[in-house]
Amino acid sequence: MNTSASWMKIVSPLPICAALGAAGCAVAGPDDGWTEDGAPPEPIAEALERMMPRNSLHTAVLSAGALLENEALIHHLASSPLNNDSLSRFLAGRPMRASEKELLEYVVSCALDPGRSVHGSKGEFGLCGASGPAHGNWFTAAPSRDCQEVVTACVLARANSLGKSVRISARSTQDARDRELFKLAPVVPVEKEYRERGAGSARSFSACPAGTPEWSSARECGWSGRSVGTCMPGERVTLRPSSATTAPLMVRVCKGIHGCDSASSPTGRWYAGHVAEGILSSDPLIRTSRGAAAELSFICPSSGATGPWSFAVMVAPPSLSTPLPATADVALRTAGGYRRYPASEAEVFTVREGAFYGNLFANAISGGSATAMLSRAQYACYSDVWTRPMAHMADRMCAGRDEACFENLPGPCLDTGVVPPNGLCQGKLDGSYYGCAPPPDEDGAPEEPTRSTHVVTVYLNHPCDLASDVNECQKAYAQFSPNRL
C-alpha cells in the first residue's frame, strides 16, 4: 500500500483463505500443493503478498486535531454500515477531505474483505468482514465494540510519522477469533517497492526492452521476487536450484527483505542492497557452455545489530524467450542454525516493538493539543527490547518530537520491576501482549482498569524499520551501529 505499515500483513498474518476464497483453502499451507523445498504455488504467493500489512498511514491523520476535524465521519462510521450507500448519505454530495480519505482507506483496509470497496478504499484483512472468524460484518451492519477495537488496533499498528511503507508483522492471540484472523504466514514474499513515498521499486522488476543482453545476471530488467530467508550475519550461505527447478535460472540475493538491482547500481538505502548474483543450473553441459554454476554462495549481510537478519531472493530467466516456471526457485544447500529459506513470518520478523489498542470510535474527549498523538481512547505500549523506548515511540509516532507529543503516554507493556507495577498489559501469550489497559491518570490508576481484549502486537524485521533515520534508531536501540551496516 502506499497505503501501507503492511499487515505482513506490515500485517501479514491474515488468513490465506480470506484472500483466496474457499477454493484456495485446500492449498493454504505448506503440506498441500507446495513444492518439497517449501515454495508456495503462485496463487498462494500472490495472496501472501496481499495479506502482509504495511505500516504507511501518516500519523497526522490520527492526531487530536485531525480526529476532531473528522469527528462527524468517525461518529457515522461507529453507528452505520461501512458501504457506499451509507457513506454517500453521510457525505450528501460533498467531496471527501484528504484526511477523511486517508482515514477511511485504512479503516476499510483493516475491516473489510478483499473484493469489497467503499468510495475507492479497498478491503484487505477482513477483521470485520463476512468470513467466519470476523467480528461481525461491518459492510452490512453497524460495527460491534469488538469490531471497533480490533480495527483501531490494526489502524494504529500501521501508522508512522513519515508515512513510509514498511512491512510489519501484526499478531493477536487473546481472542480466539483474532488468533484466526492474525495467523502467521508460512513464507514472506520479497518487497518490490522501497519504503519512501514515491520511491518506486528496483529497475530490475521492470520488463526488458527488445535487444536486452541475455545470460547476464547483471541485467536490470525481467526479474521476479521470490521469498525471504534468514541467516546469522557473517556466516556463509549457499543456494542451489530447488528440486522442482530443472531449467537454468539467474539468481540475485539482496540484503533485508527488499529486492535490488545489480552491484553497479547501489540503492543508497541502509535496509536494501545487492549481496550476490549468478546463473545456476543443475545441468553440467549448461554449466560448461554458459559459464553457469551449480551453487551460489554469499556471506550473510550485517544488520548493524545483534542476532540474525534477512536476505531476499530474486530470480530471472537467462533467456528472455524462455520464461521461468512459476515454481522456479532456489533451496539451501545446508539448512540449520539461523539459515532458513524460505523463512516464515515468525522467523523473519523477530523484533517485538510493542502493542497498540483502544477504540478510535469511542465518544472520548481529547484534552491535548491539536498535534497530540494517541489522543482520546488510543493507546500503545513498548516492549523491553528498547534502550530508550520513549525515543523510539516518539520517533515512530511523532517524527522525533519528545514524549510531550502524546496525550496518552505509552508505557511498558509488562512490568519492569518497579513499585508500584508499571506494566500496562496483563501478560504475553505466544509472543503477543494481552489484557492491556490505558495508562494511569495523574491521580493514579483505578483498581480495576478497563482492559482491551483486542490488542495488536507488532514485530519488525529490523529495529530501525520505523525510525526516521539510522541515527535516531541508535538513540533508541543501543545494540545497533550504522558503522556495522
Side-chain angles (χ1 to χ4, degrees), residues 157-387:
R158 300 173 66 193
N160 68 71
S161 61
L162 300 179
K164 297 186 296 183
S165 180
V166 179
R167 185 75 77 180
I168 60 172
S169 174
R171 311 177 190 182
S172 187
T173 57
Q174 181 178 359
D175 183 278
R177 292 166 295 181
D178 291 345
R179 286 197 295 273
E180 285 296 310
L181 291 164
F182 289 87
K183 281 184 176 177
L184 296 177
V187 298
V188 177
V190 171
E191 288 285 276
K192 295 181 180 179
E193 300 286 330
Y194 293 126
R195 295 171 176 172
E196 300 78 15
R197 290 203 173 204
S201 61
R203 292 193 302 273
S204 295
F205 288 117
S206 62
C208 289
T212 299
E214 299 191 333
W215 292 87
S216 170
S217 60
R219 190 175 76 206
E220 295 192 346
C221 61
W223 290 80
S224 300
R226 279 302 184 256
S227 300
V228 174
T230 59
C231 53
M232 183 61 72
E235 74 175 343
R236 181 169 293 278
V237 180
T238 301
L239 303 174
R240 57 174 176 76
S242 69
S243 60
T245 304
T246 56
L249 78 164
M250 302 197 302
V251 178
R252 181 175 295 161
V253 178
C254 313
K255 69 178 181 178
I257 64 175
H258 290 75
C260 63
D261 289 318
S262 67
S264 62
S265 300
T267 68
R269 295 169 171 86
W270 68 264
Y271 60 84
H274 179 275
V275 174
E277 64 190 20
I279 302 176
L280 303 186
S281 176
S282 56
D283 187 333
L285 293 179
I286 292 178
R287 294 203 296 268
T288 300
S289 62
R290 292 290 190 175
E295 298 176 332
L296 175 66
S297 291
F298 60 94
I299 300 300
C300 182
S302 172
S303 66
T306 57
W309 201 27
S310 307
F311 61 90
V313 172
M314 301 167 61
V315 297
S319 173
L320 297 176
S321 61
T322 309
L324 284 177
T327 55
D329 203 350
V330 295
L332 288 169
R333 183 180 70 182
T334 305
Y338 290 101
R339 292 190 303 277
R340 297 283 189 277
Y341 184 83
S344 69
E345 180 179 347
E347 293 167 331
V348 172
F349 295 86
T350 58
V351 181
R352 188 188 301 113
E353 180 195 18
F356 299 86
Y357 53 101
N359 192 339
L360 177 65
F361 309 94
N363 290 319
I365 299 174
S366 173
S369 70
T371 59
M373 296 305 306
L374 296 180
S375 64
R376 303 189 180 198
Q378 302 176 87
Y379 310 108
C381 65
Y382 48 79
S383 78
D384 59 359
V385 307
W386 306 105
T387 309

Side-chain angles (χ1 to χ4, degrees), residues 73-146:
L73 172 63
I74 293 170
H75 286 169
H76 174 79
L77 295 176
S79 58
S80 308
L82 185 55
N83 58 43
N84 285 319
D85 290 343
S86 175
L87 194 59
S88 293
R89 287 193 296 272
F90 165 76
L91 292 171
R94 72 167 176 86
M96 294 189 74
R97 295 186 298 270
S99 60
E100 288 179 314
K101 287 182 179 180
E102 190 163 10
L103 178 61
L104 180 70
E105 179 181 2
Y106 277 81
V107 170
V108 172
S109 173
C110 289
L112 300 185
D113 297 314
R116 293 289 194 191
S117 178
V118 180
H119 277 243
S121 296
K122 298 178 181 179
E124 289 186 82
F125 304 131
L127 301 180
C128 305
S131 61
H135 296 279
N137 189 349
W138 197 348
F139 189 78
T140 59
S144 64
R145 179 174 173 175
D146 286 331

Side-chain angles (χ1 to χ4, degrees), residues 270 303-305 464 470-474 479-485:
W270 68 264
S303 66
C464 302
V470 292
N471 293 317
E472 289 298 318
C473 175
Q474 191 172 24
Q479 300 95 313
F480 169 76
S481 171
N483 297 329
R484 297 203 301 267
L485 282 172

Side-chain angles (χ1 to χ4, degrees), residues 6-27:
S6 157
W7 216 252
M8 233 318 341
K9 208 168 303 343
I10 151 142
V11 171
S12 336
L14 293 182
I16 294 176
C17 291
L20 295 180
C25 295
V27 290

